[in-house]
Amino acid sequence: MAAADTAYKERPADDFIGFEASSSEDEGEIAPAAGAKRSHSDDERETPTAAYQKCYNGQPVPPWLSGLPRLGQGTHPDINTMINEEVTKFVAHISPTPEEHQMRAWVVQRLQRVLDEWQLPRVRPVVRCFGSFDTQLYLPTSDIDVTLMLYETDRDHVSPQYESREQIRPFLYKLARQLKQCGFCVGCEVIPNARVQIIKTTEAVSGIAVDISINADSGMQSARVQRSFSQNVYPGALRALVLAIKQFL
């Protein structure tokens, strides 16, 4: 015990840190030591709503997140919430503006005018949309799928002149020539041997691709089912899921 007391008494006075007094400079948050790494959680605590500057892997932030607050709530957001928020922002980013949607509607109207001016004998041509444009599930680069219904002049019944594939085949080439002659398109390709015979073309003013089939009403029936699911069964969720999948396929 005496030896221990002697060792204690001979201990240098500056070999301990006193806590009795602290200057005003020490009362704040203790700064990290020079050269110490700063953790990501430190950044989140200080600026939980700060905008993204770059991705975690150092790559540029995708355009649907650029300048927007960080995903999730709090310093440790739930991953499911973050994914849902990013998909929502992504869908808002790629969804067409009203002007873009109107441009596509104008392309369909222009095609109808071209057919009306053609004045086919004993036939009333009607352009019907189906596919992603009709269901509002299209991307900015998607084409427009239409079918040209060749009705009898006095009723909505397909003309007997164009009921079979053999009858439709020569009409496809006549239609392609008419579209090029009137300046509707900048390119026109007839695909007569496909299961559904079509003309692939690109409208001259907008540059939007248009696929034209003849009397293919099954596509319109499918579009009605898709619209019902999107609007009534899974409103909001189905459209976001479909667009996200289509973008990355």
Side-chain angles (χ1 to χ4, degrees):
M1 290 295 296
D5 292 342
T6 303
Y8 177 79
K9 292 178 181 179
E10 292 178 355
R11 185 178 181 180
D14 57 352
D15 195 27
F16 66 97
I17 300 175
F19 294 96
E20 294 83 1
S22 62
S23 64
S24 58
E25 295 179 354
D26 295 331
E27 292 178 355
E29 181 181 355
I30 299 176
K37 291 185 177 180
R38 188 176 181 84
S39 68
H40 182 67
S41 59
D42 290 332
D43 291 331
E44 287 183 332
R45 277 198 295 271
E46 292 184 5
T47 56
T49 60
Y52 286 108
Q53 301 300 322
K54 60 181 179 180
C55 294
Y56 295 118
N57 60 2
Q59 297 297 314
V61 174
W64 55 88
L65 293 180
S66 180
L68 297 177
R70 291 179 179 272
L71 300 172
Q73 301 293 327
T75 58
H76 299 286
D78 177 65
I79 187 63
N80 294 321
T81 301
M82 295 175 69
I83 293 175
N84 184 68
E85 288 185 13
E86 181 166 4
V87 170
T88 301
K89 289 178 169 59
F90 170 75
V91 170
H93 176 75
I94 65 172
S95 293
T97 64
E99 293 78 13
E100 291 171 334
H101 186 76
Q102 186 61 35
M103 174 60 75
R104 289 171 177 265
W106 176 83
V107 169
V108 176
Q109 294 168 4
R110 186 185 180 207
L111 177 59
Q112 183 65 65
R113 288 195 300 269
V114 168
L115 295 169
D116 291 341
E117 294 170 0
W118 194 9
Q119 297 182 347
L120 292 168
R122 302 184 305 279
V123 171
R124 180 169 54 88
V126 178
V127 178
R128 304 287 192 191
C129 292
F130 65 97
S132 60
F133 176 64
D134 187 37
T135 59
Q136 305 294 299
L137 297 175
Y138 64 93
L139 300 174
T141 56
S142 297
D143 57 14
I144 301 176
D145 295 307
V146 302
T147 187
L148 176 56
M149 301 301 297
L150 300 176
Y151 292 132
E152 296 178 344
T153 55
D154 56 347
R155 58 177 181 157
D156 289 347
H157 188 276
V158 174
S159 171
Q161 303 177 66
Y162 304 105
E163 289 183 331
S164 68
R165 290 176 60 90
E166 290 72 21
Q167 293 170 313
I168 291 174
R169 185 187 183 100
F171 177 78
L172 288 171
Y173 289 97
K174 290 173 57 178
L175 176 59
R177 286 193 298 270
Q178 179 66 20
L179 294 176
K180 288 187 285 187
Q181 289 173 4
C182 72
F184 174 83
C185 59
V186 294
C188 214
E189 178 186 6
V190 178
I191 306 179
N193 297 322
R195 186 176 64 84
V196 177
Q197 300 163 302
I198 64 170
I199 297 175
K200 297 184 73 69
T201 185
T202 302
E203 198 276 326
V205 177
S206 65
I208 296 175
V210 183
D211 288 355
I212 306 171
S213 58
I214 308 297
N215 296 333
D217 57 354
S218 60
M220 294 186 292
Q221 297 171 10
S222 299
R224 284 194 292 269
V225 174
Q226 293 175 37
R227 283 198 306 273
S228 177
F229 271 91
S230 182
Q231 297 171 6
N232 304 319
V233 183
Y234 304 107
L238 182 61
R239 181 173 184 272
L241 181 61
V242 170
L243 290 179
I245 293 174
K246 289 180 69 173
Q247 175 66 25
F248 294 103
L249 282 180

